[in-house]
Amino acid sequence: MNSRNRRYPRLRILVASAVAATLALAGCGSSGNSGSSGGKGGTTEITFWQQQFEPYQQKWFKTYVDKFNASQTAVKVKYQVVPGDTWTQKLKAAQAAGTQPDVATTNYGGIPAGVANGQFAELDGLLPDKVWGDIKPNVSGFVKVDGKHYAYPMLVEPSTVLYYRKDLVTAAGLDPNSPPKTWDELLTWAQKLTKGNVKGMTMASVAPDLGWSSWGLQYNACGHLPINDDWSAANAKDGCYTKLFQLYQTLFQKGWMPQQPKVGYADASPYGQGQVAMMADGSWAVGQLKQSFPAMIKNTAVAPFPSVDGDPSKPTATLGGWTLTVDGKSKKKEAAAKFIDYLLAGDPAIMADFFRQSGFSKYTVRTSVDKVLASDPAATSDPFMKIISEKVVATGKAEPAYPFDISLAFATAIESVMKGKSDIPTATQKASDAIDRVIKQQHLKGTAPKG
């Protein structure tokens, strides 16, 4: 598994605010030249920066940039891959010099702050109206602020999926064709599957990972996150969170999950190595298992993570992922939009090829791409794609746009209760106080973005 994926879900939230802030600061004096001037013969040259991901992604991007350039003469894309650890610095320097890219990969979490800072161009009027109707309803709001579109989505990766070993489930007298539907049933499975050196379950157990991996379960427990909708005050003491705390507490204190995991939540190695019988992890774990633990794939089943009360329509995962945006100061917005239209919003076979290359570990945001994949034998025969797409992605929620400090405050409370360092009322009071301090210090009241 690529190192980027092990840190990606949390890192993207931390980086997003920094990118938006630094670009806004540097961009005040930007000329908006956005790379080299137009090429010869009436061709407009635009620059496209892609943050470095797994190797197959760079190959896919290059293939279709080349195909786009060869398909017409009006726009030429100059493509550059930027390592993730230099992304912020490089963007800041380019913005200051007026050479910022016309098109860039942008994660969902970075869009609201970027719009507030004038970083992105509005895409309504630049892209054909019909392309917005192709986006799945529960994802369409991810790229909108105040009703306007500022990005076109590429993919989603649900943060929480349940993986389990069919052989161990059967040996424990459980039915592998009927996975747990409620948190209580999950605890029963975890207990029965804990045998010898094999733990029944693994999931996040430290605050930095709990901060983002529990968002879907926070929604599941209460229907909201631990802050008011307008970001005016904490909402961490709601009694509906009690069962969420008890879920983590029971798994940890009963010894049904690893007490001192050697890797973070996003790394599927403990499951792949046979140390645990069940795993909560994101959809990206499919790619890691296929690449690094192919023998385990045949013995693995996936299911939506159980709901607090068994209601499958409630979210258990948030949907992270990537988009393409046009720089707000670009002088070549129309040409940039033409490229985005081709790559992400045009022929659905192009994006279907991307998901094929990903090993179906990432998921489409477009209904037309779903239709293409439905006729693809590689997709229809994949043991995980249909379940994750139809039962996890379909109910997924957007990641919160507020500063990660808020998520970390609530996650610290979860970890404290989980490990017996605090009771629930004390922990949630501390979280509430910490969230209120963040709201005050960062002037968040009333700044929540509107979709």
Side-chain angles (χ1 to χ4, degrees), residues 86-337:
T86 63
W87 179 262
T88 303
Q89 180 182 359
K90 193 172 181 67
L91 271 172
K92 178 181 177 181
Q95 188 82 337
T99 58
Q100 68 278 5
D102 299 284
V103 178
T105 49
T106 302
N107 61 67
Y108 295 119
I111 293 171
V115 171
N117 289 319
Q119 181 183 340
F120 307 127
E122 180 189 338
L123 297 183
D124 297 293
L126 291 176
L127 290 175
D129 290 343
K130 65 180 181 180
V131 305
W132 305 113
D134 196 20
I135 301 173
K136 296 181 179 181
N138 68 320
V139 178
S140 63
F142 294 10
V143 295
K144 289 195 293 187
V145 176
D146 292 333
K148 298 177 181 179
H149 297 93
Y150 290 91
Y152 199 86
M154 178 177 181
L155 60 90
V156 289
E157 294 179 289
S159 61
T160 312
V161 178
L162 181 66
Y163 299 78
Y164 58 93
R165 284 183 55 177
K166 293 182 285 187
D167 60 337
L168 296 184
V169 167
T170 300
L174 301 166
D175 184 358
N177 296 314
S178 183
K181 304 293 191 299
T182 67
W183 291 356
D184 287 340
E185 290 176 4
L186 180 72
L187 292 174
T188 297
W189 274 46
Q191 178 183 14
K192 291 184 177 182
L193 289 168
T194 299
K195 293 184 179 180
N197 294 326
V198 178
K199 298 293 186 181
M201 181 75 192
T202 185
M203 58 195 305
S205 60
V206 295
D209 280 348
L210 287 162
W212 58 269
S213 68
S214 68
W215 285 329
L217 302 186
Q218 293 171 35
Y219 274 121
N220 192 265
C222 286
H224 63 73
L225 296 167
I227 185 172
N228 287 352
D229 289 345
D230 63 355
W231 295 1
S232 62
N235 194 10
K237 296 190 292 182
D238 196 325
C240 53
Y241 283 124
T242 298
K243 283 200 170 185
L244 176 68
F245 283 92
Q246 291 173 340
L247 172 67
Y248 285 99
Q249 182 184 51
T250 303
L251 284 168
F252 189 88
Q253 294 189 15
K254 292 289 187 181
W256 299 338
M257 64 181 287
Q259 304 293 288
Q260 295 181 318
K262 296 180 180 179
V263 298
Y265 171 85
D267 192 332
S269 296
Y271 178 86
Q273 294 167 354
Q275 299 171 17
V276 297
M278 292 191 296
M279 169 179 69
D281 206 342
S283 66
W284 54 84
V286 171
Q288 183 184 5
L289 293 175
K290 287 181 176 180
Q291 179 180 353
S292 301
F293 306 99
M296 187 65 78
I297 280 288
K298 296 179 181 179
N299 196 29
T300 294
V302 299
F305 195 86
S307 178
V308 61
D309 57 5
D311 183 349
S313 68
K314 292 181 177 179
T316 54
T318 47
L319 303 177
W322 294 90
T323 73
L324 291 185
T325 52
V326 174
D327 188 86
K329 296 180 177 63
S330 170
K331 294 182 178 179
K332 307 166 189 176
K333 294 183 180 69
E334 292 79 7

